[in-house]
Structure formats: C-alpha cells, structure tokens
Amino acid sequence: MPRTAQRQDRISLRLSPQSKRTLERAAAYADKTLTDFVIDVALQQAETIVREHEVIALNAEEWERFREMLLTPAPPNERLQRALEEHDRIVRR
C-alpha cells in the first residue's frame, strides 16, 4: 500500500524560496519526494525530542537506588500524613 493512501491529515508550511530549494535538493539526494523527506526528517526529530522528555535512563547504581527506594519506602512524614488526611476528607464528602 503506498504511503500516500495512509495519509489523512494535512499541515501547511510557509518558508522562504531558498529554504524550499534546500529541502528539495536534500529530498532529491535522499531519493524521496519532498513530502516524504519532510515527514521523515520531522518525525525523526520529533521522536528524539519526545524520547528526551519521556524516557528515563538509569545506570546500574541509579537503578539499584531507585529499586531500593521502591521496595523500602520511607515512612510518611507529618506533612504527607496531613495531605493524606486532607485527601480522605475531600474524597469521602
């Protein structure tokens, strides 16, 4: 199935003639249509940015500390206890 058959949404871009020529040249070097080239490059960049904001990478030492904190959490302090009581009061209304 061609990629174009899967497309449903549209975006519109305004750019300088020089920028368009540069994109067209790059698309030609990549042997892609201008649309496919722009989509591919934009999606690669978007995935990188999303990954930077949504994925947490821990080294072995950090992972072990995180795991230990999950398995043996600190007891609730006074402030947390008050917050839990307030939550119960509001939720049980």
Side-chain angles (χ1 to χ4, degrees), residues 79-93:
R79 187 173 174 192
L80 177 58
Q81 195 61 45
R82 284 195 317 265
L84 291 170
E85 290 167 3
E86 179 71 5
H87 173 268
D88 282 346
R89 185 183 68 74
I90 292 170
V91 171
R92 293 184 186 185
R93 276 189 183 174

Side-chain angles (χ1 to χ4, degrees), residues 7-73:
R7 295 186 182 137
Q8 297 174 0
D9 290 337
R10 173 181 288 264
I11 62 172
S12 182
L13 302 171
R14 294 201 182 277
L15 63 159
S16 70
Q18 181 181 1
S19 294
K20 184 177 179 189
R21 282 192 302 274
T22 301
L23 289 173
E24 288 170 335
R25 285 176 45 221
Y29 286 131
D31 196 28
K32 295 182 178 185
T33 65
L34 179 58
T35 297
D36 286 344
F37 178 80
V38 170
I39 289 171
D40 289 348
V41 172
L43 285 175
Q44 287 172 11
Q45 185 67 19
E47 289 167 1
T48 298
I49 291 169
V50 167
R51 194 171 28 259
E52 287 173 358
H53 287 84
E54 294 182 357
V55 174
I56 299 172
L58 304 175
N59 63 33
E61 181 181 320
E62 293 166 334
W63 169 252
E64 192 54 42
R65 183 166 181 249
F66 176 73
R67 183 178 122 355
E68 193 61 35
M69 291 171 71
L70 285 176
L71 295 175
T72 55

